[in-house]
Amino acid sequence: MGNQERIVVVGASLAGLRAAATLREEGFAGALTLVGTEPHRPYNRPPLSKSVLEGDDDVSLPGSEEIDAEWRGGRSAVRLDAEARTVTLDDRAELPYDGLVIATGARPRRLPEEQMALAGVHVLRTIDHALELRKALADVQGRVVVIGGGFIGGEVASTIRAAGHEVTIVDAAEPMVRVLGRTVGSWLADHHRANGVELVTNTRVAELVGEAGRVTGVRLDDSRVVAADLVVVGAGVAPNTEWLEGSGLHVDDGVLTDSRLFAIGHGDIVAAGDVARWPHATFGHETVRIEHWSNANEQGAAAARNLLRGPSEAVPFGQVPALGTRVHGTRLQYAGLPHLADASTVVTGSPEDGKFSVAFTRGDVLVGAATVNFPKELTRLRKAIEAGESL
Ligand SMILES: Cc1cc2nc3c(=O)[nH]c(=O)nc-3n(C[C@H](O)[C@H](O)[C@H](O)COP(=O)(O)OP(=O)(O)OC[C@H]3O[C@@H](n4cnc5c(N)ncnc54)[C@H](O)[C@@H]3O)c2cc1C
């Protein structure tokens, strides 16, 4: 173990919690501080687009209450001085550290603020967002437009549709086609339509329109207006790295780290979760930033262990990403990095039957897999990706 006496974890969600818990499990007995912008103790985000919108408030994350750390909730880090080894908070408090974990995650991309300010326009990242959206859904009887048919947009559309609302997804392409390719994208589009969701694809959003301060529609770049009583903007996320400006850390769509999750050139700083970008050995050391639960969970723990070991004994982080979602009750899962592929093939089942698996290859090597209603196939293909097998 290293000789740290004070470790600061910035970002109090999944990756930060797992890092803090792992530090204690591994025997770190020094001062541990957990800083988080949100006033809440760390909680679980996946229910926000599913059960919370349906009325269930349970977002508990095991271990959140018991963590043996000084808790600075409702406080944001605004500056890092990596030479002096201090983190400054928005109340001007200065936290000195010997070891630092950066786990500040990501936030939703927004449309211009004057459009976001219209009543009836929502994003979904936090429990507060989810409760606001739930309340708005209860108050509004009308059409909900979801901008972006990606993974969160698809889940929100599915949950809201099941509650009886009219739902339209607006997307620049077929849903998830950029991530999972044409076969899955087309199946997903048909699946949404079959479940009563209207799709407006291959068009971009020009602006939101409103009357008397309330959103009334979404204007597309071909001048059409899709009527909307409520809009959920699901246009992806951006990593929270602004507080690192001037710190000397390498930031490029995330905090750049080495394969062991140390910020480049800093043996006392690690990053984990949605904010971290690191070279992944399974994919030719391509740098990747993964926005999935299991990645944040495992990476938070791995980063903490490496911080305690120190750079000379740290080990690379190489978990192959995997994600599962349910859309209108159907299980869609994927593993690896399908977007790196230059070819894809349906290997079992068929989209017409609603049960199939797709393998994604680069050269001959398997780099990704997607399955619909086929969890066993996902497990098999994920292992093959980990092993670097060819198809
Ligand atoms: C609605 C929703 C549903 C999801 N469903 C799934 C799913 O089904 N499966 C799946 O695999 N993944 C899912 N995810 C993604 C998953 O929740 C994320 O990958 C995970 O939360 C990432 O954890 P993190 O700790 O890295 O970052 P985050 O959860 O983004 O947390 C970062 C924390 O740091 C705080 N912070 C930011 N800046 C600062 C600062 N300067 N100082 C202090 N604190 C700061 C933020 O306020 C936040 O609390 C979902 C996400 C959402 C939003």
Side-chain angles (χ1 to χ4, degrees):
M1 187 168 343
N3 53 3
Q4 298 100 338
E5 288 176 7
R6 294 168 299 194
I7 297 183
V8 173
V9 178
V10 183
S13 180
L14 180 59
L17 174 69
R18 285 292 174 261
T22 304
L23 289 167
R24 289 300 191 212
E25 280 155 27
E26 295 286 319
F28 174 67
L32 180 59
T33 307
L34 185 56
V35 184
T37 301
E38 293 180 71
H40 317 288
R41 288 263 169 181
Y43 60 88
N44 213 13
R45 298 196 198 279
L48 301 182
S49 46
K50 311 169 185 84
S51 46
V52 172
L53 294 184
E54 291 166 346
D56 180 348
D57 286 347
D58 184 7
V59 287
S60 54
L61 201 48
S64 170
E65 293 302 327
E66 299 95 70
I67 191 74
D68 174 18
E70 186 197 346
W71 165 239
R72 301 277 187 118
R75 291 267 76 98
S76 295
V78 293
R79 183 165 179 267
L80 167 65
D81 186 332
E83 274 184 27
R85 294 177 155 191
T86 51
V87 172
T88 307
L89 306 188
D90 55 359
D91 61 356
R92 298 200 184 152
E94 294 220 332
L95 306 181
Y97 65 81
D98 310 307
L100 173 67
V101 180
I102 296 175
T104 42
R107 63 177 181 282
R109 290 186 199 285
R110 295 166 70 86
L111 298 171
E113 284 310 316
E114 69 278 8
Q115 297 173 40
M116 297 301 300
L118 290 168
V121 180
H122 295 259
V123 291
L124 183 54
R125 182 77 190 178
T126 67
I127 181 69
D128 299 323
H129 293 150
L131 295 177
E132 276 167 29
L133 177 57
R134 186 167 90 186
K135 183 170 182 311
L137 285 164
D139 292 346
V140 165
Q141 299 302 320
R143 179 157 292 276
V144 181
V145 175
V146 178
I147 297 177
F151 147 65
I152 303 281
E155 283 191 350
V156 169
S158 158
T159 308
I160 293 179
R161 179 68 198 135
H165 293 273
E166 287 178 49
V167 182
T168 302
I169 292 177
V170 177
D171 200 311
E174 284 195 314
M176 299 196 77
V177 82
R178 280 179 301 265
V179 187
L180 296 179
R182 208 148 282 292
T183 305
V184 179
S186 296
W187 169 82
L188 189 54
D190 290 344
H191 187 57
H192 276 304
R193 289 193 188 99
N195 285 280
V197 172
E198 191 190 341
L199 288 190
V200 179
T201 56
N202 301 314
T203 180
R204 288 183 183 281
V205 171
E207 61 174 350
L208 302 181
V209 289
E211 267 175 40
R214 186 167 184 95
V215 74
T216 54
V218 178
R219 193 189 316 278
L220 307 175
D221 61 3
D222 58 9
S223 301
R224 273 183 297 165
V225 175
V226 181
D229 298 291
L230 215 68
V231 170
V232 183
V233 181
V237 296
N240 291 317
T241 52
E242 288 71 11
W243 68 283
L244 297 168
E245 265 169 36
S247 67
L249 261 60
H250 292 260
V251 172
D252 182 6
D253 185 32
V255 176
L256 284 178
T257 74
D258 63 21
S259 61
R260 303 152 310 164
L261 307 172
F262 284 101
I264 303 290
H266 295 270
D268 53 355
I269 303 177
V270 289
D274 283 18
V275 77
R277 173 174 288 280
W278 86 108
H280 201 305
T282 308
F283 306 102
H285 298 280
E286 186 124 0
T287 64
V288 294
R289 191 173 64 75
I290 304 293
E291 298 163 1
H292 304 340
W293 195 96
S294 64
N295 184 70
N297 193 48
E298 302 298 322
Q299 211 170 40
R305 281 193 290 269
N306 279 346
L307 185 62
L308 292 178
R309 286 177 183 135
S312 58
E313 287 170 36
V315 294
F317 181 76
Q319 177 180 279
V320 167
L323 175 87
T325 179
R326 275 188 189 274
V327 189
H328 310 293
T330 297
R331 195 154 179 198
L332 168 63
Q333 295 169 284
Y334 64 93
L337 300 175
H339 71 273
L340 296 181
D342 45 40
S344 67
T345 325
V346 175
V347 282
T348 27
S350 78
E352 293 73 35
D353 298 337
K355 180 173 180 173
F356 64 102
S357 65
V358 180
F360 296 84
T361 48
R362 179 163 67 173
D364 249 0
V365 177
L366 200 56
V367 290
T371 62
V372 169
N373 271 335
F374 229 143
K376 269 191 190 160
E377 264 293 277
L378 204 273
T379 308
R380 181 181 76 82
L381 290 167
R382 185 179 179 183
K383 283 187 185 147
I385 297 166
E386 280 162 357
E389 287 178 16
S390 49
L391 193 61

